[in-house]
Amino acid sequence: MKRNIEQVQTLLEALPYIKTYTNKTFVIKYGGSAQINPKLQEKFAQDIVLMYLVGIKIVIVHGGGNKISAMLDRLQLKSEFIDGLRVTDEKSMEVVEMVLSGSINKEISSLLNAHGVKALGISGKDAMLLKAKAMDNGKYGLVGDITAIDNSVVKNLIAEKFIPVIAPIASGESVGHPGYNINADLAASKIAASIGAEKIIFMTDTPGVLDNEKNLFDTLREEEIQKLKEEGVIFGGMIPKVDACLEAIDGGVKKAHIIDGRVEHALILEVFTSSGVGTVIKK
Amino acid sequence: MKRNIEQVQTLLEALPYIKTYTNKTFVIKYGGSAQINPKLQEKFAQDIVLMYLVGIKIVIVHGGGNKISAMLDRLQLKSEFIDGLRVTDEKSMEVVEMVLSGSINKEISSLLNAHGVKALGISGKDAMLLKAKAMDNGKYGLVGDITAIDNSVVKNLIAEKFIPVIAPIASGESVGHPGYNINADLAASKIAASIGAEKIIFMTDTPGVLDNEKNLFDTLREEEIQKLKEEGVIFGGMIPKVDACLEAIDGGVKKAHIIDGRVEHALILEVFTSSGVGTVIKK
Amino acid sequence: MKRNIEQVQTLLEALPYIKTYTNKTFVIKYGGSAQINPKLQEKFAQDIVLMYLVGIKIVIVHGGGNKISAMLDRLQLKSEFIDGLRVTDEKSMEVVEMVLSGSINKEISSLLNAHGVKALGISGKDAMLLKAKAMDNGKYGLVGDITAIDNSVVKNLIAEKFIPVIAPIASGESVGHPGYNINADLAASKIAASIGAEKIIFMTDTPGVLDNEKNLFDTLREEEIQKLKEEGVIFGGMIPKVDACLEAIDGGVKKAHIIDGRVEHALILEVFTSSGVGTVIKK
Amino acid sequence: MKRNIEQVQTLLEALPYIKTYTNKTFVIKYGGSAQINPKLQEKFAQDIVLMYLVGIKIVIVHGGGNKISAMLDRLQLKSEFIDGLRVTDEKSMEVVEMVLSGSINKEISSLLNAHGVKALGISGKDAMLLKAKAMDNGKYGLVGDITAIDNSVVKNLIAEKFIPVIAPIASGESVGHPGYNINADLAASKIAASIGAEKIIFMTDTPGVLDNEKNLFDTLREEEIQKLKEEGVIFGGMIPKVDACLEAIDGGVKKAHIIDGRVEHALILEVFTSSGVGTVIKK
Amino acid sequence: MKRNIEQVQTLLEALPYIKTYTNKTFVIKYGGSAQINPKLQEKFAQDIVLMYLVGIKIVIVHGGGNKISAMLDRLQLKSEFIDGLRVTDEKSMEVVEMVLSGSINKEISSLLNAHGVKALGISGKDAMLLKAKAMDNGKYGLVGDITAIDNSVVKNLIAEKFIPVIAPIASGESVGHPGYNINADLAASKIAASIGAEKIIFMTDTPGVLDNEKNLFDTLREEEIQKLKEEGVIFGGMIPKVDACLEAIDGGVKKAHIIDGRVEHALILEVFTSSGVGTVIKK
Amino acid sequence: MKRNIEQVQTLLEALPYIKTYTNKTFVIKYGGSAQINPKLQEKFAQDIVLMYLVGIKIVIVHGGGNKISAMLDRLQLKSEFIDGLRVTDEKSMEVVEMVLSGSINKEISSLLNAHGVKALGISGKDAMLLKAKAMDNGKYGLVGDITAIDNSVVKNLIAEKFIPVIAPIASGESVGHPGYNINADLAASKIAASIGAEKIIFMTDTPGVLDNEKNLFDTLREEEIQKLKEEGVIFGGMIPKVDACLEAIDGGVKKAHIIDGRVEHALILEVFTSSGVGTVIKK
C-alpha cells in the first residue's frame, strides 16, 4: 500500500512537467557512456519512449563514440590531431561517414524502433539538411562549419510522429564532394535553434558544470558563464559544451542542459522530476 | 530551325507518358554500372529529376555494388559463398550494413540532393520498414527473408515530396539483433508491391531478357516466363531478376522493367519515349 | 537516490498503460464518497488531470449525492420511495434538476477547471443529448427511461479537448415538459456505449464485487455474473451496479470497472498501475 | 392573392438583412417579460430559430427573472439590498447559482432544443469562461466584477453550430470558492466584446430610450448618451442598460439595441424588417 | 402594426422551408415569359437571390427564348421543322450557339450578378459538361441526344458558391465538331439527376398540369401521369414537359415542379410559402 | 540511336524551365493567325496541354479575330472607326458580345477540351470579373476602360485545375446595361496583374519588337521601351502591344512576351527551350 501511495505521488509530481512539455520539441545530443554502455542504452530508450508518449517531440543527434577510432585503426588509417580535432582527410572521411551514418545511426534507430516508437536514422547530407564549408580554411581537413540548414525534413518527420536520429555529417558545396565531419554538439545546437526547440539536452560523462569545490551549478545564466570561463572555473573539455549550449540559447532555445548520462534514466529524472541531474543554462 | 522542330516533337511525344504517370509511384532498383560509373550516375540523377518534376513519385532501392567486397577485403574478412550467396556472419554483417547504409546510401542521396530534389537515405531498419528472419534456417548466416513491411515511412516521405533512398537491410526479431542482409531486387519488389507502385524498374548490366538468338524480348507475360525458364532460355543470373519481377507483378505492380543501365539516360528513354530499352513484364 | 529510482520505476511502469489508453475515451461515473469528501474530491481532480494530459478523453457523469435530499428537506417536499426509487413529482423534479444541473454539476466543473483542464458542465437536456419517457408507465413519477441519445455534443466537446460533465436529466417528449430524473449509472452506461468508449469506471463506496468470503473478484465475465446473481453472491445494491456494467459491455464498451472511490487516487491506481482497486467486468 | 403578394414583399424586404447578418454573431441578453411569459417565450424561440437558420450565430445570456427571489423566500433566506444590488452571502449564492444554472438555464436550453436547434446551457464557471473578483471590495458580498474571459468555449460552440445559453455566474480566484453573481447585462456586453459580436440586443420591459416627451429615440450615439445622462433624460434603471450598451460598443460591438421584449416577435421585427422596436446605440 | 404581424407571420411560415432546403441543390429551367419580360426577369433575379441567401444551391439551365429565330431571320437562314423540332444545319447551329451561349447566357449571368450573387455563364461544351450524338440518326441535323455528362464543373462551382448558368449546347464526338443543340428541358433534367438535385423547377407559360375541366393538379405521381397521357388529358406541348420531369424523378431528383413563370415571384411562392403555383410531380 | 540522344537532350533541356514554372500562372493572350489558322490552332492546343501537364496554371484571354467584322457585315451593321477603334453602338455591341462570348470563346474551350484538359469559357461579365466605364467619355461608344476586377472566379477555377478562357467583355455600371467591349490585350494585362501571374504571353502576327534594321530585340527593359517609342523605333500597331506589356509588368507580372504566333508551337519553343521566339519585356 505504501508502494501504491508513492507510485501515485510520483505520477502526480510528473504532471506539471507533462503539462509544460507536451507538444514541445526537445533536441537530445546522445553521446558518451549512455551511447556505449548496453545497460544505459536500454534506459535511454525507455526514457525516450516515455517522453514521446506524453507528447514531447524528440530529435536525436549522435556522436561517434569510440567506433570511429576503432575502425580507422582496423583500416590502418592514422589521424593527426590539431587543437584536439582529428584532421580528417578524404580516406578518413569515408570511414567517419560510414561509421556514423551506417553503423551508429542505425544502431540507435534500431534500438528505439525495438521499443515501439518510429525512429528514422538520417544524415545531415539527406534532404539538404546540413551544408558546410571547411573549418578555418581547411586547417583540419574535412572538419566543417555549418553554413546552411534546411530543416524541412526534420519538421516533416516530427510532424508525422517520427523521431529523427541525425548523424553529424554535412554536404559540401559541390556535386561529388565527400562531405564534412561536423562536431555533434554544434550540429545539435544549430538544429535545435533552427527548429525552435524548447530544450536541448547534452548527455555527457560529467555531472554537469562544477565550481572550484566540485559542487554542481544547478543553473547558470549566459553572463555567469562568461565570467566562469574567464576565471578558469569552466575549462578544458567543458568549454566546447557550454559554448554549444550558448549557441542554442542565443538561437532561441529556452533551456540547454548538460546532464550526466552515466546516471540511469538521467533523462526521465531531468525532465519529469524535481531531481535535476546536471546544469541548466538559460538566457 | 530543324532542331527546334525536333525539340518540339520530342516534348509532344512525351506528353502521353507524362499524362499517364503523373502522381504514380515508380520503384527503381538502382544497381550495376549505372551505380558505379560516374558519368552514368550523373545521367541517372538527371533522369530521376525529370521524372520527379513531372509528378512521378520515386522510391529508390539500391544494391551494394562492389564496395562491400572491397571493404571486407580491406578488413581481411573472408566470405564463403554458397549457392551464389555470400554467407554473412556477424562481423561481415557489420561491414555490409556500414557500407550499404553509411556509404552507398548517402552517396546516392547526396547525388540527388545536389541536383535539386530532396532525397532521404534510410535503411530498412528505420521506422520498422523491413523485418526479416534468417533465410533457409540460417544456411547463409545473416542473409534474410523479409517477413514484414511497415511502409508508413515510405508513404509519408513520398506524400511530403521526398525521394526515399533505401538500403536493403532489415531488422531482426529481437532487440540488439545485428539485422539481416537482404537481396536488393527482392527488397525493391516487396516494397513496390506493398505501396501499390505503378512500375518497378530494375537497372541492370544486360540489355534485358534475350532469346536464344540474343534478340531482346520487348514484352513478356507471366506465363511465358515460366516456359522460357523451363526451356532454359532464361537461365543463370537472369532467373533471380525475372523472379523479382514476378514477385512485384503478383503483388499488384502493373509493369516490371528490366532495363539496360549501361545505356545513358536509360530511364528517360524507357519512361518518356517510344524507344524502350529493355524488357517489360506484365501480368 | 533510492527515491529517484522508485520514481523512475513508477513512471516506466505507467508506460504501457499510457500507450494503450492515449486517444481512447473513458466514461467515469462519479459518485459516492469521492464526490462528497473534499479530500477525495481533490484527489479525483488530480487523477482526471493526469489521465487528460496523457491523452485520455474523459466524460464524467455524476449523481446527486445527498444534496438532493437535503434540499428537498429544506423545502419541505416529502418523497415516497417505491422499489428503492424516489417517486418524483413535478415539484420535486424542479428541485432535483436544480440541484443536479445547477449546483453539483457546476461544483464538479469548477473543481476541474481550477486544476487547469477545461471542463464543461451540461445536462442531458442540453443539445438534445438525452430523451426519456416515464419508467414503468409513470409508476415512479418523473423517473425516466432513456429513449434516445444524440451524442453529437459529447463527441464535439471531446474532439475540442473539453471534458463534458453531465447531469443525468433527460428531456421529455413535449415542449414545456419538466424532464426526467435518470439513474446516473444507467445514463453513464448508455452514453459510454453510444460514443464507443473504451472503458467505463463506476466510482463506488464498495471495494468491488465480493464473493461469499468477502474476497474481491478481480475480473468477472458476463456469464459468471449471471451465475453469481442467481446464487445470491451478487445481491442488493450491487445488482444495479453490475447491470449498468453489463449494459455498457453489451453496447460495445471494452471494460467496465467497479472501483472503490474511498481509496485515494483510485483512478490513477486502476488506470496506470498494476494494482487494480476493484472489479473489472469484460464480455 | 393579395396575401401572396404581401408574403413575397416581406420575404424580399428581409433579403438585405439576411445578406448583412449571415455568419455574424449576435449576443442576446434574454430577460424581463420575454423570459417569464410563456407566450412570449414561444415567440422568442421562433425568432431565435429563424435567425439561426439564415446563418446568424447566436449567443444567449440570461438573467434570473423572479425565480431567484422566490426560491430565496421559500428557503427563508433574507437579502439586504444596497444601491439596488442584492448583497449575496454564501448561502444565498448557492441558491442564486442553482436557480440560474440549474433551473432557468435549462429551461431556456430545453425551449430552444424543442424548436429544433441545438442549444447548450452552460455557466460562466464552465470551461473558465468568466472569472471575477468581489465588486467594491466585497461591499455587496459575492456580487462580482468580471476580471477575465476565456471565450474559447463560446467560439468552439458557435463554430460547431450550437447556441450557447449562458448563466451569469463567474468563478472566483481560488479552488473551492463559491463563485460570483454577475450582472447579466454586463456579462452579455463583456462576452459580446470578447467574441467580436456584430450586435448585442437587450430584451427589456421598456420601449427603449425615451426623451422627456416619452418619444422613443431610434438611434443614439455614444456622445449623445453622456449628454442625456447629464441632463437627466436618461435616469434610473435605464442608466445601467445604456452603460452595458456602451461597454459593448467600446469593446468593438457594432450596434447595441435596447428593445421591447413585451412586443411579440420583437427580435424578428428588429432584425429583419425596417420596423425597429427600440433604440439602437452606435459608436 | 397589423402589417408587422403579417410580416412576422410570413417569415415564420417560411421557416420550415428554409430548414428543409438549406444546402440542397435546385435546378431551375428558366424559360418562357419569365425569361423575356423585363419585369418578370427582375422578380426572377430577386427570387434567385433569396433562395441563394438562405443556403439553397442553384443551377440554372436556360432556353433560347425567341432570340434564336429572330437572329436566324436577320441572317436569312431558313429552318425546316420536323416533329416540332427545328432541323439544325451547321450554319444555323453556329447562330444557335452564338445566341444561346453568347447573348442569352450572358444576359442571365449579368442580371444575377447585378443583384449581388456570383453567377457564371457556361455552355455544355465547357469543361466537357455535356456530350451528345445526333438524335434519331441525324433526322433533325445537329439536334442532339446527351450521351455523357461530366458534372465536375457544376459541382465545383456550386461548392465554391457560384451559380452556374448553363446554355444547352453539347460537344460532339470529334475535335472540330460544331456541337449539338440540346432541348433545354432535357438538359436540365439530366444535369439535375447527375448532381443529385433535390428539386427541379420548370418555369413555363402554363399554370401547370390541368385536368379536363382546366383545374390544376397540385400533385401527380409517376403512375398517374402515364394514365393521364393515355387518356389524352396530358397532351401536346405538356407531354415533353412531364417527360422531362419523369426523366429527373427517375434519375433520383426528389420533386419536379411545373410552375407558372408568368406569376410574379413564382419561385418564392412555390418554394417558401404554402401557396404552390403549379404542379409537383413525385415518384 | 542519334534520334534517341537528341530526344533525351531536349527533355533535359526542358528541365530547368519545368522546375521554374511549375505551379506558376501564365496568362496567354490568344489572337492573330494562331487563333484563325486550323493547323496553328491544333499546335496551340498541344502546347497548352503540355504546359498544363507539367503544372503551369493557364489563363487564356482571346480576341475576336475577324469573325466580328464578318458577322457585322452579314447583319449589315456598319462601323465607324476613330483612332483605330471601332465605335461600338448598342446594336453592334450585341453582335460583338455574341460572337466573342458565344462563338469564339466556345470554339477555344471546345478545342482544349477535345485535347483532354478542362477548359471553361467565360466572359468578363461572369461572376463580376470585369467592370468598365466608357472610354474617353463615350467617344467610342461602348468601348470600355476596366474599372474593377473581381478575380475570385479566375482564382477558383485555376485552383480547381480548370483553364479559364475569357472573352474580353465587361459589365457596365447599371442593371440592364449592354456591357462594354474591352481591348483584349489590356484585359489580359489587367487580369495577369490582378492574379499575380508569372508571365503574360501575347501571341501576335509579328516576330516581336524589331529595331530599325528589322532585327529582333530579344529582351527589353521598361526604360528602353520609352526611349524606342520616342525615337520612333517602336511605332504604329506595336505601341499598344508594348503598352499592354508595361501595364502587366507595372502590375507585378515578372515577364511579358510578344511572340510570333505564326511559328508552329511558338509557345513550347518560348517556354521550354532556349530558342525564344519573340521579345521579352522585363522591369
Side-chain angles (χ1 to χ4, degrees), chain C residues 24 26-27 57 95 102 143 160-161 175 192 203 222 248 254:
Chain C
K24 299 286 172 27
F26 288 10
V27 172
K57 296 170 187 304
V95 177
V143 173
E160 299 285 336
K161 307 259 182 227
V175 183
M203 302 185 73
E222 211 171 348
K254 297 261 175 64

Side-chain angles (χ1 to χ4, degrees), chain A residues 131-145:
Chain A
K131 276 206 178 125
K133 64 174 172 46
M135 188 182 279
D136 283 356
N137 300 311
K139 187 173 169 189
Y140 313 102
L142 292 166
V143 173
D145 271 336

